[in-house]
Amino acid sequence: MTNICIVAGARPNFIKVAPIIWAVEKLADQHTTRQADQQVTYHLVYTGCRDDKTLEPSLFDDLSIPAPQHFLNANSNSLNEITGHVMGEFEHYLDSHPTDVVIVVDDLASTMAVAIVAKKRGIKLAHLVAGTRSFDISMPKEVNRLVIDGLSDLLFTAGAGASSIVTREGADTSNIYMVGNILLDTLRHSMTRMVKPVAIEGMESMRYLVFTLNRKALIADTQWLRQAMTTIMETVAAYDHADAPLQVVAPLRGEARQVIEQMGIKSERLHIISPLSYLEFVWLTSHAMGIITDSGNVAEEATFNDVPCITLNSYTEHIETVTLGTNRLVGSDSELLGKSIREILQGEWRHATLPDRWDGRTAERILQILVRQQS
């Protein structure tokens, strides 16, 4: 029997771990009479709270997974407080839950805390989406990535570039597995289940750009953000078709929505809407003329959907979206931002080539490796 603990530290993590849960459940269905030492079970743990408002009620139904069985109840704006709290709570969790493998995702403070506890307890640690780097050590997430990768027994990377990074940093090559991009497992699974958002039903035209904003550093830079929004709206306004006016749809939450609304942008083309469910959001982005975002995950999905994507950063942890996909980095260059929007609207954007192993089978590979490691 292999007992897997899957730990999610934030809403996007659930989107990435869902395929692993499907794979475990599929294996159980196919092998109901397997010998006990070949069986696999999982336990889903969330480092946050049960009433976390970022977890919309439909999320787990959208992802076809059960809600977490255990919550560590981290709830603080201090990264150090989160780290300490999660370490203590996860220690208690392991005391009463036999665990052979802990799977952590991405680069959060809570993820790092879980990784440290698992390693100290001598439990095998697997890092999903290992080897992503911004190469900016001033970013807290970059520190988290380095620590988690350094501790992990199994490094599951999305591509050759990430595998090369952890190899250069000294990871044993026998511990590195290029399994592919698990985010695309979920997206492929959801293609026939997407839901058109009710929030855009009343729009006069289905010709729109999507704007998303999440990163705290960008939200805090109100001067650049105002300049970016001005550039976006002026460029869109100049591209005018009376019979089908171009729109900008912005599903925003919390501080991001507050900052944009306080700018007082007067335009009937800008539609600031409430955060969408997962199935609504992937419908919105897959049908867009283009996307303007600060999210690496959104850029990956855009590449898969062959939708033009502009990223408001000067770097990306997912370089394959730039080298092979539809993503372009504009940083804080408003002139390049405007030029890029015009290229999208004029149909001059290049098409994507899907990177290796974006085939929807990443979770299957991961589970095969975990079972083989425990046998």
Side-chain angles (χ1 to χ4, degrees):
M1 174 77 74
T2 300
N3 300 304
I4 301 174
C5 175
I6 304 171
V7 182
R11 179 186 182 275
N13 291 172
F14 289 110
I15 299 170
K16 293 181 179 179
V17 302
I20 298 177
I21 294 173
W22 306 334
V24 172
E25 292 177 342
K26 181 180 178 181
L27 184 66
D29 290 341
Q30 290 176 341
H31 303 284
T32 54
T33 60
R34 289 176 70 95
Q35 295 179 0
D37 61 352
Q38 295 179 311
Q39 293 177 354
V40 179
T41 65
Y42 77 91
H43 208 240
L44 181 59
V45 174
Y46 182 46
T47 62
C49 303
R50 190 178 299 274
D51 61 352
D52 187 335
K53 292 182 173 56
T54 67
L55 306 182
E56 70 272 18
S58 67
L59 178 62
F60 302 109
D61 286 340
D62 284 356
L63 296 175
S64 304
I65 62 173
Q69 293 108 319
H70 197 87
F71 294 80
L72 302 184
N73 297 311
N75 183 20
S76 174
N77 291 323
S78 166
L79 298 180
N80 290 332
E81 286 182 6
I82 290 172
T83 302
H85 178 89
V86 170
M87 288 182 69
E89 290 299 313
F90 193 60
E91 180 82 27
H92 294 318
Y93 164 85
L94 291 176
D95 287 339
S96 55
H97 295 84
T99 303
D100 299 302
V101 181
V102 173
I103 301 177
V104 295
V105 192
D106 289 338
D107 50 20
L108 301 173
S110 58
T111 309
M112 180 182 68
V114 166
I116 292 170
V117 172
K119 194 66 175 180
K120 287 186 174 182
R121 293 285 291 253
I123 299 171
K124 185 161 288 185
L125 177 66
H127 187 198
L128 183 57
V129 199
T132 56
R133 297 288 185 274
S134 67
F135 301 104
D136 180 358
I137 199 63
S138 68
M139 293 178 58
K141 286 188 175 183
E142 187 75 352
V143 176
N144 298 340
R145 294 167 187 147
L146 289 165
V147 172
I148 298 165
D149 279 349
L151 295 175
S152 294
D153 301 289
L154 301 170
L155 297 113
F156 295 130
T157 68
S163 295
S164 296
I165 286 171
V166 288
T167 299
R168 291 196 304 270
E169 292 174 350
D172 190 324
T173 55
S174 64
N175 296 335
I176 303 169
Y177 298 88
M178 194 184 86
V179 293
N181 191 331
I182 200 164
L183 187 69
L184 280 309
D185 286 29
T186 309
L187 188 59
R188 284 177 178 272
H189 175 80
S190 305
M191 295 303 290
T192 60
R193 304 171 59 244
M194 295 188 297
V195 177
K196 182 179 179 180
V198 174
I200 67 169
E201 291 287 356
M203 285 175 49
E204 296 177 5
S205 166
M206 288 307 298
R207 299 173 63 258
Y208 61 87
L209 301 175
V210 174
F211 174 76
T212 79
L213 180 65
N214 292 287
R215 298 199 177 190
K216 292 183 178 180
L218 189 55
I219 294 171
D221 191 352
T222 54
Q223 182 176 354
W224 153 238
L225 198 53
R226 181 181 294 277
Q227 185 178 13
M229 291 304 299
T230 299
T231 299
I232 292 168
M233 299 315 302
E234 287 180 351
T235 307
V236 166
Y239 191 82
D240 195 11
H241 289 262
D243 58 334
L246 185 65
Q247 314 287 327
V248 176
V249 181
L252 302 175
R253 71 169 76 243
E255 188 178 0
R257 178 166 186 156
Q258 181 180 353
V259 167
I260 297 298
E261 287 181 336
Q262 287 176 347
M263 291 180 181
I265 299 170
K266 305 297 182 182
S267 174
E268 295 182 354
R269 297 174 182 269
L270 178 61
H271 301 266
I272 300 176
I273 62 176
S274 297
L276 300 173
S277 71
Y278 173 73
L279 293 179
E280 289 176 320
F281 184 76
V282 294
W283 189 99
L284 186 75
T285 53
S286 65
H287 289 78
M289 290 186 68
I291 301 167
I292 304 168
T293 186
D294 61 353
S295 166
N297 289 349
V298 172
E300 292 174 79
E301 292 170 345
T303 283
F304 178 81
N305 289 319
D306 200 23
V307 173
C309 182
I310 299 169
T311 296
L312 301 175
N313 292 313
S314 56
Y315 70 91
T316 177
E317 294 92 343
H318 312 279
I319 194 62
E320 64 274 15
T321 63
V322 175
T323 56
L324 297 173
T326 59
N327 190 21
R328 178 182 294 175
L329 308 177
V330 300
S332 57
D333 188 335
S334 58
E335 183 176 338
L336 180 57
L337 172 60
K339 176 178 179 292
S340 299
I341 296 172
R342 288 191 292 273
E343 288 183 23
I344 291 175
L345 302 182
Q346 293 164 7
E348 299 172 356
W349 211 263
R350 77 174 188 182
H351 292 285
T353 300
L354 283 187
D356 187 22
R357 300 200 175 185
W358 285 34
D359 56 5
R361 300 185 59 196
T362 296
E364 292 178 25
R365 297 185 189 102
I366 290 172
L367 190 58
Q368 289 171 0
I369 294 164
L370 293 176
V371 171
R372 189 165 65 244
Q373 287 277 327
Q374 293 301 121
S375 61

